[in-house]
């Protein structure tokens, strides 16, 4: 089944009730019934005072599984209605929808990498997304830059982190390695010894699990705590 990437950016404001990530997660509610949301990946773009981002300059990209490319037009129309219904006033929302086998994907991957380290323009985003869907839905429409970059980075398969994947948000504070793998999350040990996490070992998650899309798959790096216990290498940021 083909994968379709749906990228959103700049849909929120400092006073809006929900951010771009949450709005992207809610895309699942309006997808065609024959399509399935596999996950949503947050992508970090360049943080620079010359860029008018809301808080962190991150984009979000939904990964949708469809029975065929014939669903593409329906996904585009529903995504357009979704962003127009839920973007914050005075935001600059952008939407990018591209099938994984589209010739635009290699250009978008290169463009996304640029947006993580350099300033980019709307014209450059339009050139990168040529052949796919790229549209602005209010304000300056600068969100098309991040939306295109989010698709490119997600399709590249090595950047960002999942903020939605199956029952990701229902994973308890204490879970076994086997239970994580049964959810489709691969665990790895990136420490110096690179020990193998046995299936029965426990992972102390603090009820916050955000795997990385490495090689396009959700991968959770773990650090050993001893006594057959592990913890994710990253945890939830503490607000001060």
């Amino acid at each position: 089944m083909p994968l379709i990437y749906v990228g959103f950016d700049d849909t929120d404001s400092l006073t809006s009730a929900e951010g771009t990530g949450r709005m992207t997660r809610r895309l699942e509610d309006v997808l065609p019934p024959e399509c399935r949301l596999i996950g949503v990946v947050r992508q970090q773009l360049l943080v620079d005072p010359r860029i008018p981002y809301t808080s962190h300059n991150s984009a979000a990209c939904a990964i949708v599984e469809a029975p065929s490319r014939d669903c593409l037009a329906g996904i585009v129309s529903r995504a357009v209605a979704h962003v127009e219904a839920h973007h914050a006033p005075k935001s600059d929302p952008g939407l990018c929808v591209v099938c994984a086998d589209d010739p635009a994907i290699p250009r978008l991957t290169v463009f996304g990498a640029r947006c993580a380290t350099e300033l980019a323009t709307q014209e450059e985003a339009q050139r990168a997304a040529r052949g796919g869907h790229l549209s602005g839905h209010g304000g300056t429409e600068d969100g098309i830059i991040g939306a295109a970059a989010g698709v490119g980075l997600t399709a590249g398969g090595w950047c960002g982190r999942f903020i939605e994947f199956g029952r990701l948000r229902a994973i308890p504070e204490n879970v076994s390695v086997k239970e994580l793998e049964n959810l489709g999350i691969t665990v790895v040990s990136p420490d110096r010894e690179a020990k193998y996490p046995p299936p029965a070992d426990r992972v102390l998650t603090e009820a916050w699990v955000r795997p990385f899309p490495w090689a396009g798959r959700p991968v959770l790096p773990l650090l050993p705590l001893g006594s057959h216990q592990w913890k994710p290498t990253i945890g939830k940021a503490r607000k001060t």
Side-chain angles (χ1 to χ4, degrees), residues 188-236:
V188 298
S189 173
D191 71 344
R192 185 175 184 276
E193 302 300 330
K195 297 175 182 178
Y196 171 73
D201 277 13
R202 310 302 296 183
V203 181
L204 308 184
T205 69
E206 296 186 336
W208 195 86
V209 176
R210 299 293 184 270
F212 300 103
W214 291 349
R217 299 174 55 187
V219 177
L220 185 66
L222 302 177
L223 293 176
L225 295 175
S227 301
H228 301 286
Q229 292 186 336
W230 304 75
K231 71 172 183 177
T233 56
I234 62 167
K236 188 174 185 178

Short mmCIF file of all heavy atoms in Angstrom, two decimals, residues 188-236:
data_model
loop_
_atom_site.label_atom_id
_atom_site.label_comp_id
_atom_site.label_asym_id
_atom_site.label_seq_id
_atom_site.Cartn_x
_atom_site.Cartn_y
_atom_site.Cartn_z
N VAL A 188 16.83 -0.04 20.78
CA VAL A 188 18.27 -0.24 20.56
C VAL A 188 19.03 0.35 21.73
O VAL A 188 18.53 1.23 22.44
CB VAL A 188 18.76 0.43 19.25
CG1 VAL A 188 18.08 -0.17 18.03
CG2 VAL A 188 18.55 1.94 19.30
N SER A 189 20.25 -0.14 21.94
CA SER A 189 21.11 0.38 23.00
C SER A 189 22.31 1.06 22.34
O SER A 189 23.19 0.39 21.82
CB SER A 189 21.58 -0.76 23.90
OG SER A 189 22.55 -0.29 24.82
N PRO A 190 22.35 2.41 22.35
CA PRO A 190 23.44 3.13 21.68
C PRO A 190 24.62 3.46 22.59
O PRO A 190 25.46 4.27 22.23
CB PRO A 190 22.76 4.40 21.21
CG PRO A 190 21.77 4.68 22.30
CD PRO A 190 21.31 3.34 22.81
N ASP A 191 24.67 2.85 23.81
CA ASP A 191 25.77 3.18 24.70
C ASP A 191 27.07 2.50 24.22
O ASP A 191 27.08 1.79 23.23
CB ASP A 191 25.44 2.82 26.14
CG ASP A 191 25.43 1.32 26.38
OD1 ASP A 191 25.37 0.56 25.39
OD2 ASP A 191 25.49 0.90 27.55
N ARG A 192 28.13 2.69 24.97
CA ARG A 192 29.45 2.20 24.53
C ARG A 192 29.47 0.69 24.35
O ARG A 192 30.08 0.16 23.41
CB ARG A 192 30.52 2.62 25.55
CG ARG A 192 31.95 2.27 25.14
CD ARG A 192 32.93 2.84 26.15
NE ARG A 192 34.31 2.61 25.74
CZ ARG A 192 34.98 1.49 25.97
NH1 ARG A 192 34.39 0.49 26.61
NH2 ARG A 192 36.24 1.37 25.57
N GLU A 193 28.78 -0.04 25.22
CA GLU A 193 28.78 -1.51 25.14
C GLU A 193 27.73 -2.03 24.16
O GLU A 193 27.82 -3.16 23.72
CB GLU A 193 28.52 -2.10 26.53
CG GLU A 193 29.52 -1.68 27.60
CD GLU A 193 30.94 -2.09 27.24
OE1 GLU A 193 31.11 -3.11 26.56
OE2 GLU A 193 31.88 -1.37 27.64
N ALA A 194 26.75 -1.19 23.84
CA ALA A 194 25.67 -1.58 22.91
C ALA A 194 25.07 -2.93 23.29
O ALA A 194 24.93 -3.83 22.47
CB ALA A 194 26.18 -1.60 21.48
N LYS A 195 24.69 -3.05 24.55
CA LYS A 195 24.12 -4.31 25.03
C LYS A 195 22.75 -4.56 24.40
O LYS A 195 22.03 -3.63 24.05
CB LYS A 195 23.99 -4.26 26.55
CG LYS A 195 25.31 -4.13 27.29
CD LYS A 195 25.07 -3.98 28.78
CE LYS A 195 26.38 -3.79 29.53
NZ LYS A 195 26.14 -3.59 30.98
N TYR A 196 22.40 -5.82 24.31
CA TYR A 196 21.10 -6.21 23.77
C TYR A 196 20.04 -6.12 24.86
O TYR A 196 20.18 -6.76 25.91
CB TYR A 196 21.18 -7.64 23.23
CG TYR A 196 19.84 -8.23 22.85
CD1 TYR A 196 19.19 -7.80 21.69
CD2 TYR A 196 19.23 -9.21 23.63
CE1 TYR A 196 17.97 -8.34 21.33
CE2 TYR A 196 18.01 -9.74 23.29
CZ TYR A 196 17.38 -9.31 22.13
OH TYR A 196 16.17 -9.83 21.78
N PRO A 197 18.97 -5.33 24.66
CA PRO A 197 17.91 -5.28 25.67
C PRO A 197 17.03 -6.54 25.59
O PRO A 197 16.28 -6.71 24.63
CB PRO A 197 17.11 -4.03 25.29
CG PRO A 197 17.98 -3.27 24.32
CD PRO A 197 18.79 -4.32 23.63
N PRO A 198 17.12 -7.45 26.55
CA PRO A 198 16.31 -8.67 26.52
C PRO A 198 14.82 -8.38 26.55
O PRO A 198 14.39 -7.37 27.14
CB PRO A 198 16.76 -9.42 27.78
CG PRO A 198 18.10 -8.86 28.10
CD PRO A 198 18.03 -7.42 27.70
N PRO A 199 14.00 -9.23 25.96
CA PRO A 199 12.56 -8.96 25.88
C PRO A 199 11.87 -8.76 27.22
O PRO A 199 10.92 -7.98 27.32
CB PRO A 199 12.01 -10.21 25.17
CG PRO A 199 13.17 -10.73 24.39
CD PRO A 199 14.38 -10.43 25.20
N ALA A 200 12.35 -9.44 28.27
CA ALA A 200 11.69 -9.33 29.56
C ALA A 200 12.15 -8.13 30.38
O ALA A 200 11.53 -7.80 31.40
CB ALA A 200 11.92 -10.62 30.37
N ASP A 201 13.22 -7.46 29.97
CA ASP A 201 13.70 -6.29 30.72
C ASP A 201 12.65 -5.19 30.72
O ASP A 201 11.82 -5.09 29.79
CB ASP A 201 15.00 -5.76 30.11
CG ASP A 201 16.21 -6.53 30.61
OD1 ASP A 201 16.02 -7.61 31.21
OD2 ASP A 201 17.34 -6.06 30.39
N ARG A 202 12.70 -4.34 31.74
CA ARG A 202 11.72 -3.28 31.91
C ARG A 202 12.27 -1.94 31.43
O ARG A 202 13.46 -1.65 31.58
CB ARG A 202 11.30 -3.14 33.37
CG ARG A 202 10.89 -4.44 34.04
CD ARG A 202 9.74 -5.13 33.33
NE ARG A 202 8.51 -4.33 33.37
CZ ARG A 202 7.34 -4.76 32.86
NH1 ARG A 202 7.27 -5.93 32.27
NH2 ARG A 202 6.27 -3.99 32.93
N VAL A 203 11.39 -1.13 30.86
CA VAL A 203 11.74 0.22 30.41
C VAL A 203 10.93 1.21 31.23
O VAL A 203 9.70 1.17 31.25
CB VAL A 203 11.46 0.41 28.91
CG1 VAL A 203 11.87 1.81 28.47
CG2 VAL A 203 12.18 -0.65 28.08
N LEU A 204 11.63 2.10 31.93
CA LEU A 204 10.98 3.12 32.74
C LEU A 204 10.79 4.38 31.90
O LEU A 204 11.74 5.11 31.63
CB LEU A 204 11.83 3.41 33.98
CG LEU A 204 12.23 2.17 34.81
CD1 LEU A 204 12.99 2.59 36.07
CD2 LEU A 204 11.01 1.33 35.18
N THR A 205 9.58 4.61 31.46
CA THR A 205 9.31 5.61 30.43
C THR A 205 8.85 6.96 30.97
O THR A 205 8.80 7.94 30.21
CB THR A 205 8.22 5.11 29.47
OG1 THR A 205 6.96 5.07 30.18
CG2 THR A 205 8.54 3.73 28.94
N GLU A 206 8.43 7.02 32.24
CA GLU A 206 7.77 8.22 32.77
C GLU A 206 6.52 8.57 31.95
O GLU A 206 6.09 9.71 31.88
CB GLU A 206 8.72 9.42 32.81
CG GLU A 206 9.90 9.22 33.75
CD GLU A 206 10.76 10.47 33.90
OE1 GLU A 206 10.75 11.32 32.97
OE2 GLU A 206 11.42 10.61 34.94
N ALA A 207 5.94 7.53 31.34
CA ALA A 207 4.72 7.68 30.52
C ALA A 207 4.90 8.68 29.39
O ALA A 207 3.95 9.37 29.00
CB ALA A 207 3.53 8.06 31.40
N TRP A 208 6.12 8.74 28.85
CA TRP A 208 6.41 9.65 27.72
C TRP A 208 7.41 8.96 26.81
O TRP A 208 8.59 8.85 27.15
CB TRP A 208 6.96 10.97 28.24
CG TRP A 208 6.96 12.08 27.23
CD1 TRP A 208 5.94 12.94 26.96
CD2 TRP A 208 8.04 12.49 26.37
NE1 TRP A 208 6.30 13.85 26.00
CE2 TRP A 208 7.58 13.60 25.61
CE3 TRP A 208 9.33 12.01 26.15
CZ2 TRP A 208 8.38 14.24 24.66
CZ3 TRP A 208 10.13 12.65 25.20
CH2 TRP A 208 9.66 13.75 24.47
N VAL A 209 6.91 8.47 25.68
CA VAL A 209 7.75 7.73 24.73
C VAL A 209 7.65 8.41 23.37
O VAL A 209 6.55 8.58 22.83
CB VAL A 209 7.29 6.26 24.61
CG1 VAL A 209 8.11 5.52 23.55
CG2 VAL A 209 7.40 5.56 25.96
N ARG A 210 8.79 8.83 22.83
CA ARG A 210 8.82 9.49 21.54
C ARG A 210 9.96 8.89 20.70
O ARG A 210 11.08 9.39 20.70
CB ARG A 210 9.03 11.00 21.69
CG ARG A 210 7.93 11.70 22.48
CD ARG A 210 6.60 11.69 21.75
NE ARG A 210 5.58 12.44 22.47
CZ ARG A 210 4.76 11.93 23.38
NH1 ARG A 210 4.85 10.64 23.69
NH2 ARG A 210 3.85 12.68 23.98
N PRO A 211 9.69 7.80 19.99
CA PRO A 211 10.74 7.16 19.19
C PRO A 211 11.16 8.02 18.00
O PRO A 211 10.42 8.92 17.57
CB PRO A 211 10.11 5.85 18.73
CG PRO A 211 8.63 6.09 18.83
CD PRO A 211 8.42 7.10 19.92
N PHE A 212 12.33 7.70 17.47
CA PHE A 212 12.86 8.40 16.31
C PHE A 212 12.54 7.61 15.04
O PHE A 212 12.58 6.37 15.05
CB PHE A 212 14.38 8.57 16.42
CG PHE A 212 14.81 9.36 17.62
CD1 PHE A 212 15.34 8.74 18.74
CD2 PHE A 212 14.69 10.75 17.64
CE1 PHE A 212 15.73 9.46 19.85
CE2 PHE A 212 15.08 11.48 18.75
CZ PHE A 212 15.60 10.84 19.85
N PRO A 213 12.26 8.27 13.93
CA PRO A 213 12.00 7.56 12.67
C PRO A 213 13.30 7.22 11.95
O PRO A 213 13.66 7.85 10.96
CB PRO A 213 11.14 8.55 11.87
CG PRO A 213 11.58 9.89 12.35
CD PRO A 213 11.97 9.71 13.80
N TRP A 214 14.02 6.23 12.43
CA TRP A 214 15.28 5.83 11.81
C TRP A 214 15.00 4.79 10.74
O TRP A 214 14.33 3.78 11.00
CB TRP A 214 16.25 5.29 12.86
CG TRP A 214 16.75 6.34 13.80
CD1 TRP A 214 16.60 7.69 13.68
CD2 TRP A 214 17.47 6.13 15.02
NE1 TRP A 214 17.19 8.35 14.74
CE2 TRP A 214 17.73 7.43 15.57
CE3 TRP A 214 17.92 5.00 15.70
CZ2 TRP A 214 18.42 7.59 16.77
CZ3 TRP A 214 18.61 5.17 16.89
CH2 TRP A 214 18.87 6.45 17.42
N ALA A 215 15.52 5.04 9.55
CA ALA A 215 15.23 4.19 8.39
C ALA A 215 13.72 4.08 8.17
O ALA A 215 13.22 3.08 7.67
CB ALA A 215 15.86 2.81 8.54
N GLY A 216 12.99 5.14 8.55
CA GLY A 216 11.56 5.18 8.35
C GLY A 216 10.77 4.41 9.39
O GLY A 216 9.53 4.38 9.34
N ARG A 217 11.44 3.76 10.36
CA ARG A 217 10.75 2.96 11.37
C ARG A 217 10.91 3.62 12.74
O ARG A 217 11.93 4.25 13.02
CB ARG A 217 11.36 1.55 11.43
CG ARG A 217 11.24 0.77 10.14
CD ARG A 217 12.00 -0.54 10.26
NE ARG A 217 11.57 -1.33 11.41
CZ ARG A 217 12.17 -2.45 11.81
NH1 ARG A 217 13.24 -2.89 11.17
NH2 ARG A 217 11.71 -3.11 12.86
N PRO A 218 9.91 3.45 13.64
CA PRO A 218 10.05 4.02 14.97
C PRO A 218 11.07 3.25 15.81
O PRO A 218 10.92 2.05 16.04
CB PRO A 218 8.64 3.90 15.56
CG PRO A 218 7.97 2.84 14.77
CD PRO A 218 8.58 2.85 13.41
N VAL A 219 12.12 3.94 16.23
CA VAL A 219 13.21 3.33 16.99
C VAL A 219 13.38 4.10 18.29
O VAL A 219 13.48 5.33 18.28
CB VAL A 219 14.52 3.33 16.18
CG1 VAL A 219 15.67 2.75 17.02
CG2 VAL A 219 14.36 2.53 14.89
N LEU A 220 13.43 3.37 19.41
CA LEU A 220 13.59 4.00 20.71
C LEU A 220 14.95 3.64 21.30
O LEU A 220 15.17 2.50 21.72
CB LEU A 220 12.48 3.55 21.66
CG LEU A 220 12.45 4.22 23.04
CD1 LEU A 220 12.12 5.70 22.89
CD2 LEU A 220 11.45 3.53 23.96
N PRO A 221 15.91 4.58 21.34
CA PRO A 221 17.20 4.30 21.97
C PRO A 221 17.05 4.26 23.49
O PRO A 221 16.37 5.10 24.08
CB PRO A 221 18.08 5.48 21.53
CG PRO A 221 17.31 6.19 20.47
CD PRO A 221 15.87 5.92 20.74
N LEU A 222 17.71 3.28 24.10
CA LEU A 222 17.61 3.08 25.54
C LEU A 222 18.98 3.15 26.20
O LEU A 222 19.99 2.75 25.61
CB LEU A 222 16.98 1.72 25.86
CG LEU A 222 15.59 1.43 25.31
CD1 LEU A 222 15.18 0.01 25.67
CD2 LEU A 222 14.58 2.43 25.85
N LEU A 223 18.99 3.61 27.44
CA LEU A 223 20.20 3.60 28.26
C LEU A 223 19.99 2.63 29.41
O LEU A 223 18.92 2.62 30.04
CB LEU A 223 20.49 5.00 28.81
CG LEU A 223 20.88 6.07 27.79
CD1 LEU A 223 21.03 7.41 28.49
CD2 LEU A 223 22.16 5.68 27.07
N PRO A 224 21.00 1.78 29.72
CA PRO A 224 20.84 0.81 30.81
C PRO A 224 20.88 1.48 32.17
O PRO A 224 21.66 2.39 32.43
CB PRO A 224 22.04 -0.12 30.61
CG PRO A 224 23.06 0.73 29.91
CD PRO A 224 22.30 1.67 29.04
N LEU A 225 19.99 1.02 33.06
CA LEU A 225 19.97 1.50 34.44
C LEU A 225 20.48 0.44 35.42
O LEU A 225 20.64 0.73 36.60
CB LEU A 225 18.54 1.89 34.83
CG LEU A 225 17.91 3.07 34.08
CD1 LEU A 225 16.46 3.24 34.50
CD2 LEU A 225 18.70 4.34 34.34
N GLY A 226 20.73 -0.76 34.91
CA GLY A 226 21.11 -1.86 35.77
C GLY A 226 19.89 -2.62 36.25
O GLY A 226 18.75 -2.14 36.15
N SER A 227 20.10 -3.83 36.79
CA SER A 227 19.01 -4.66 37.33
C SER A 227 17.91 -4.87 36.29
O SER A 227 16.71 -4.79 36.61
CB SER A 227 18.42 -4.02 38.60
OG SER A 227 19.40 -3.87 39.58
N HIS A 228 18.32 -5.11 35.05
CA HIS A 228 17.37 -5.40 33.96
C HIS A 228 16.38 -4.25 33.73
O HIS A 228 15.22 -4.48 33.37
CB HIS A 228 16.61 -6.70 34.25
CG HIS A 228 17.51 -7.89 34.39
ND1 HIS A 228 18.11 -8.49 33.30
CD2 HIS A 228 17.93 -8.57 35.49
CE1 HIS A 228 18.85 -9.50 33.72
NE2 HIS A 228 18.77 -9.58 35.04
N GLN A 229 16.85 -3.03 33.94
CA GLN A 229 16.02 -1.86 33.70
C GLN A 229 16.71 -0.90 32.74
O GLN A 229 17.94 -0.81 32.72
CB GLN A 229 15.69 -1.14 35.01
CG GLN A 229 14.78 -1.92 35.94
CD GLN A 229 14.39 -1.12 37.15
OE1 GLN A 229 15.07 -0.18 37.54
NE2 GLN A 229 13.25 -1.46 37.74
N TRP A 230 15.88 -0.20 31.96
CA TRP A 230 16.38 0.76 30.98
C TRP A 230 15.53 2.02 31.05
O TRP A 230 14.45 2.03 31.64
CB TRP A 230 16.27 0.15 29.57
CG TRP A 230 16.97 -1.14 29.38
CD1 TRP A 230 16.56 -2.37 29.83
CD2 TRP A 230 18.20 -1.36 28.68
NE1 TRP A 230 17.46 -3.33 29.46
CE2 TRP A 230 18.48 -2.74 28.75
CE3 TRP A 230 19.09 -0.52 28.00
CZ2 TRP A 230 19.60 -3.31 28.16
CZ3 TRP A 230 20.22 -1.08 27.41
CH2 TRP A 230 20.47 -2.45 27.51
N LYS A 231 16.03 3.07 30.39
CA LYS A 231 15.23 4.28 30.23
C LYS A 231 15.50 4.86 28.85
O LYS A 231 16.59 4.66 28.29
CB LYS A 231 15.56 5.32 31.31
CG LYS A 231 16.92 5.97 31.15
CD LYS A 231 17.09 7.10 32.14
CE LYS A 231 18.45 7.81 31.93
NZ LYS A 231 18.59 8.96 32.85
N PRO A 232 14.54 5.57 28.26
CA PRO A 232 14.78 6.22 26.96
C PRO A 232 15.89 7.27 27.09
O PRO A 232 16.07 7.88 28.15
CB PRO A 232 13.44 6.87 26.63
CG PRO A 232 12.43 6.08 27.41
CD PRO A 232 13.14 5.69 28.68
N THR A 233 16.61 7.48 26.00
CA THR A 233 17.70 8.46 26.02
C THR A 233 17.17 9.88 26.14
O THR A 233 17.90 10.77 26.56
CB THR A 233 18.56 8.35 24.76
OG1 THR A 233 17.71 8.51 23.61
CG2 THR A 233 19.28 7.02 24.70
N ILE A 234 15.93 10.13 25.73
CA ILE A 234 15.35 11.47 25.90
C ILE A 234 14.06 11.34 26.69
O ILE A 234 13.35 10.34 26.59
CB ILE A 234 15.06 12.19 24.57
CG1 ILE A 234 14.03 11.41 23.73
CG2 ILE A 234 16.34 12.40 23.78
CD1 ILE A 234 13.47 12.22 22.58
N GLY A 235 13.78 12.34 27.51
CA GLY A 235 12.54 12.37 28.27
C GLY A 235 11.80 13.65 28.00
O GLY A 235 12.23 14.50 27.22
N LYS A 236 10.67 13.82 28.65
CA LYS A 236 9.85 15.00 28.46
C LYS A 236 10.56 16.21 29.03
O LYS A 236 11.15 16.15 30.11
CB LYS A 236 8.49 14.81 29.15
CG LYS A 236 7.50 15.92 28.85
CD LYS A 236 6.14 15.58 29.43
CE LYS A 236 5.11 16.63 29.04
NZ LYS A 236 3.77 16.30 29.57
#
